């Protein structure tokens, strides 16, 4: 069993590296950029389609992905030490998001320091609350409120002192029958800028799960979740959606439901670096 697991992990690692390398090469090719600009969280994005955290973990692609039609690239999820050693991102027109791992074992001071280290590099920051490191935080309401309050205050301080505005987003899991209304309400209360809604149940990302997302009933469920959150937030949070996007129809469905920004990951592995062009060339409805 251990040998099978190692082979599976190796295959996944090689697939990820190959896909990242192909996208990197494609960024250097002369192409006619596709522009579908949108404004969200006070920022102008070249398009509403971006790359989710986990694909370009360390920021190898950076902002250069705009050449392929992507409006933003979210790197990470990064730990305290990884954020501290971040190098400046490559130049380009895409917005750069930095996904920060909120670890339940961290002190509030450590979490605020991590946010401060990521702030100079980012166009927007994401607090990741769907990873195993943060699972315990979701069971500690008072601790979570205190931590999110401190991080929001630190973001405000950095924005004021640095004379630029870096929006703050929280990433939450959203599954059928488990829409995080309570946490969304807390984000609204604290004045967060956005909510990144993760519709997928999490790792491992298998080929079967990729095919499952081709069931239109599953796509409809994700759109319904966004619709409910859009109604609940009433414009108070920018909604971002990630999970299962494979086609122009999938993208359009999330946008129509109320998401302003949409991310892809698995589709890049399966469909290659020209994915954004295919998804964005379809007429807007």
């Amino acid at each position: 069993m251990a040998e099978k697991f190692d082979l599976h992990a190796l295959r996944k690692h090689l697939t990820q590296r190959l896909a990242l390398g192909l996208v990197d090469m494609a960024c250097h090719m002369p192409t006619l950029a596709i522009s579908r600009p949108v404004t969200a969280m006070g920022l102008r994005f070249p398009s509403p389609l971006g790359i989710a955290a986990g694909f370009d973990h360390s920021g190898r692609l950076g902002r250069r992905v705009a050449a392929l039609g992507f409006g933003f690239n979210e790197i990470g999820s990064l730990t305290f030490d990884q954020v501290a050693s971040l190098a400046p991102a490559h130049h380009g027109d895409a917005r750069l998001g930095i996904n920060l791992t909120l670890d339940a074992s961290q002190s509030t001071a450590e979490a605020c320091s991590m946010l401060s280290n990521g702030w100079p590099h980012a166009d927007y920051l994401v607090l990741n609350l769907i990873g195993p490191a943060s699972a315990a935080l979701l069971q500690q309401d008072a601790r979570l409120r205190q931590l999110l309050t401190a991080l929001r205050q630190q973001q405000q301080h950095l924005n004021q002192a640095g004379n630029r505005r870096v929006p703050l987003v929280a990433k939450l899991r959203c599954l059928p029958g488990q829409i995080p209304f309570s946490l969304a309400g807390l984000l609204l209360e604290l004045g967060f800028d956005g909510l990144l809604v993760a519709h997928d149940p999490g790792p491992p990302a298998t080929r079967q799960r990729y095919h499952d997302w081709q069931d239109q009933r599953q796509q409809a469920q994700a759109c319904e979740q966004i619709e409910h959150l859009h109604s609940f937030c009433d414009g108070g949070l920018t909604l971002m959606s990630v999970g299962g996007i494979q086609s122009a129809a999938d993208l359009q469905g999330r946008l129509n439901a109320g998401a302003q920004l949409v991310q892809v990951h698995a589709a890049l592995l399966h469909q290659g670096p020209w994915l954004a062009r295919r998804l964005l060339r379809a007429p807007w409805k």
Side-chain angles (χ1 to χ4, degrees), residues 38-279:
V38 295
T39 299
M41 301 185 292
L43 300 175
R44 184 185 183 278
F45 293 77
S47 85
L49 184 66
I51 299 176
F55 185 85
D56 183 22
H57 181 271
S58 301
R60 172 178 169 182
L61 304 174
R63 295 181 171 87
R64 294 183 291 118
V65 297
L68 303 178
F70 291 106
F72 57 106
N73 180 22
E74 189 174 306
I75 68 172
S77 189
L78 301 178
T79 63
F80 180 94
D81 290 338
Q82 290 169 332
V83 175
S85 60
L86 265 181
H90 291 291
H91 294 296
D93 294 329
R95 292 295 183 176
L96 186 71
I98 297 182
N99 187 302
L100 305 173
T101 298
L102 283 192
D103 192 325
S105 66
Q106 279 180 328
S107 68
T108 298
E110 288 173 327
C112 286
S113 179
M114 178 174 64
L115 186 142
S116 297
N117 289 335
W119 185 91
H121 302 276
D123 292 311
Y124 70 91
L125 292 163
V126 179
L127 306 179
N128 189 352
L129 284 165
I130 71 168
S134 61
L137 281 173
L138 299 178
Q139 309 302 319
Q140 305 170 31
D141 292 348
R143 163 72 173 138
L144 181 59
R145 170 182 282 273
Q146 182 268 335
L147 179 60
L148 293 180
T149 299
L151 289 166
R152 167 66 174 137
Q153 291 173 345
Q154 182 70 3
Q155 175 233 8
Q156 289 178 301
H157 169 73
L158 291 166
N159 287 353
Q160 291 169 0
N163 198 31
R164 74 183 186 106
R165 188 173 180 277
V166 178
L168 187 61
V169 177
K171 185 175 185 178
L172 301 175
R173 187 87 66 197
C174 184
L175 301 175
Q178 302 176 41
I179 300 176
F181 290 118
S182 178
L183 288 174
L186 176 58
L187 299 180
L188 285 166
E189 178 187 335
L190 297 179
F192 272 60
D193 299 285
L195 166 58
L196 174 51
V197 183
H199 304 278
D200 203 72
T206 62
R207 182 174 293 274
Q208 181 58 49
R209 186 178 294 172
Y210 181 78
H211 288 302
D212 288 344
W213 274 108
Q214 294 169 11
D215 184 340
Q216 290 309 301
R217 292 171 297 182
Q218 192 159 331
Q219 292 289 341
Q221 282 184 331
C223 290
E224 184 177 356
Q225 293 159 14
I226 290 293
E227 288 173 352
H228 285 311
L229 283 167
H230 184 260
S231 177
F232 178 82
C233 296
D234 195 27
L237 291 170
T238 290
L239 294 180
M240 305 168 69
S241 178
V242 61
I245 299 296
Q246 300 180 20
S247 69
D250 299 340
L251 171 61
Q252 192 65 60
R254 303 290 173 90
L255 294 174
N256 289 345
Q260 291 176 263
L261 300 170
V262 178
Q263 297 179 335
V264 292
H265 184 175
L268 262 179
L269 299 176
H270 290 269
Q271 299 185 41
W274 311 117
L275 174 68
R277 293 181 170 279
R278 290 193 292 273
L279 269 55

Side-chain angles (χ1 to χ4, degrees), residues 5-19:
F5 174 80
D6 289 342
L7 288 174
H8 172 75
L10 177 61
R11 184 165 56 248
K12 180 181 176 182
H13 175 70
L14 291 176
T15 299
Q16 178 77 30
R17 285 193 63 180
L18 175 60

